[in-house]
Amino acid sequence: MRAAVFFEPGKALEIRELSLDPPREGEARLRIAASGVCRSDLSVTTGTLRSPLPVVLGHEAAGEVLETGPGVDGLAVGDRVIVSLSPECGECLFCREGRPNLCVQMAPGVMNSSMLDGTTRLRDGSDSIYQLCGIASFAEEAVVCARACIRVPDEVPLERACLLGCGVLTGVGAALNTAAIEPGMAVAVIGCGGVGLSAIQGARIAGAETIVAIDVVPEKLELARELGATHTLDGGSEVRRELRKIARLGVHVAIEAIGRTETIETAWSLLRPGGLAVVVGMPKARETARIRVGGFFQEKRLAGCVYGGAHAKRDIPRLLDYVRSGELRLDPLVSHELPLEAAQQALDDIARGAGARHVLVLG
Ligand code: APR
Ligand code: ZN
Ligand code: ZN
C-alpha cells in the first residue's frame, strides 16, 4: 500500500510503497478513506513538534475496518469509523478521573509515533517506519488501536467525518468543554484555521452572543462569519484596542487556535475581569509567553486545552449528532480535497495560511 513518508527536515514527503504488518492484540487494520491535514502534521516537519523519523504523518482519519486483531470487541469488518487520538484505556489515573484526553496511553503515539506496545506496523523493506500518533493516515491503509475507533453513521461521509478525529473535536471541545461557554457570553477566537473555525461553531452552538473572529487572512474571516462569527478583526491591527470597540470590557472567553506565543499574550489581553483564556494552539514546548499578572487580581484565568478537553467516546458521537442536525457544518471547513500525492502541497498551503482544511481523499 502507498503512503506519504517524511524522512527528514527540508525534504518533501515521498510517496512510497510500504508494507503493513497484521493487527496485533487489540488492534484493527483500516482502509483509510480520508485524512484531514492538520497544522500539527506541518509542525512535525518543521520541528515544532518532535517525532522519531522516518514517519508517516496523518492523525485525523476516517476509514473502514478491513481486519481485526485478537481480543477486539465491538468492532467488525466493514464498520465505518473515525480514529480518535486517545485510546481511553479507562484504567489510568486520568481516565479514572474523567479526563481521557490526558490518558497515559496516548503517550506512545504522541511522543514516539508508535503503537501502544512501542512498536510500529509499517515497513519499508526491512526498515521500520514510525506512525504519527499511532495512526499514520497519509496512507491507503493503517493499523490502529481498536479502542480508538468510533463508529460513524452511514449518512455522514467519511471525507468529512475524518475532521472530527482531531481539528473539529479540538475546536468545538475547547468551546464546550474547556471554556464551557454559556448563552449570552462574548467570545474571541484567534486563528481561523480548521481548529479556530470549529471553536467558532462551538461558541455559536453554546449560544454566545458576540463571537469575534481574528485572523490575518481575509478569506478566513469571511468563512468565520459564515460559520457563526458576529464580528471579525484583522490580526495585524491593534487587536486589543479594536476588540474593545466591540466588547467594551473585553470578552468572557478568548481562545487561541494558532500556536504562537504572541497570540497567547493577545488572548490574555482581550479578557474582561473574570474572563478565561484557553490556549489550544501548540508552540514549541520550551517557549515562554509574557502576560500581565495584574489580570490575576481581576480573577482572569488561563487554561491549557489538549484535544478539546474531550472525552472522545462521548463527544465524537455528540458531534456527529450536531453534524446530522446541521448545527455543526463540516463542508465549509474543507477548502481542498486532494489525492495522497498532494500531501506535501497541503502542508505548503497550511504554512502559507492558504485554505481552511485540506482533506486527502484516499478512495
Ligand atoms: N494573527 C491571527 N491569525 C493568525 C496569525 C496571527 N498573527 N498567524 C496565523 N494566523 C492564522 C492563519 O491565517 C490560519 O488561518 O491562524 C490560522 C491557523 O490555522 P491552521 O494553520 O489551519 O491551524 P489548525 O490546524 O487550525 O491548528 C491550530 O491548534 O492543534 C493545534 O497544532 C495545532 O497549533 C495548531 C493550532
Ligand atoms: Zn491535529
Ligand atoms: Zn487512560
Side-chain angles (χ1 to χ4, degrees), residues 37-43 49 59-60 166-167 170 190-197 214-217 220 233-236 239 256-260 262-263 280-283 349-357:
V37 185
C38 173
R39 188 169 195 90
S40 304
D41 295 303
L42 171 69
S43 293
L49 297 179
H59 62 280
E60 192 175 80
C166 180
T170 298
I190 313 178
C192 302
V195 174
L197 291 168
I214 304 168
D215 204 292
V216 286
V217 178
K220 297 286 177 67
L233 284 182
D234 173 3
V239 172
E256 200 277 353
I258 306 169
R260 293 167 51 101
E262 298 83 354
T263 40
V280 180
M282 289 193 288
D349 281 356
I350 296 176
R352 288 187 292 119
R357 209 46 154 198

Side-chain angles (χ1 to χ4, degrees), residues 88-96 100 102-105:
E88 301 202 18
C89 75
E91 286 161 16
C92 74
L93 188 70
F94 296 103
C95 282
R96 282 190 280 120
L102 298 177
C103 175
V104 296
Q105 290 201 0

Side-chain angles (χ1 to χ4, degrees), residues 252-256 264 267-268 271 275-279 301-304:
H252 297 86
V253 172
I255 297 176
E256 200 277 353
I264 291 170
W268 183 251
L271 298 179
L276 171 67
V278 175
V279 179
R301 291 170 300 142
L302 182 60

Side-chain angles (χ1 to χ4, degrees), residues 306-327:
V306 172
Y307 205 28
H311 185 329
K313 284 217 164 69
R314 176 197 70 191
D315 292 352
I316 288 181
R318 281 186 189 169
L319 295 191
L320 285 163
D321 284 343
Y322 284 134
V323 170
R324 286 193 287 181
S325 70
E327 283 168 281

Side-chain angles (χ1 to χ4, degrees), residues 51-52 64 66 101 107 146 151 159 163 226 231 250 263 277 315 321 354:
S51 166
E64 196 180 302
L66 293 176
N101 60 319
R151 276 208 217 83
E159 296 77 32
L163 303 178
E226 187 185 334
H231 301 74
T263 40
D315 292 352
D321 284 343

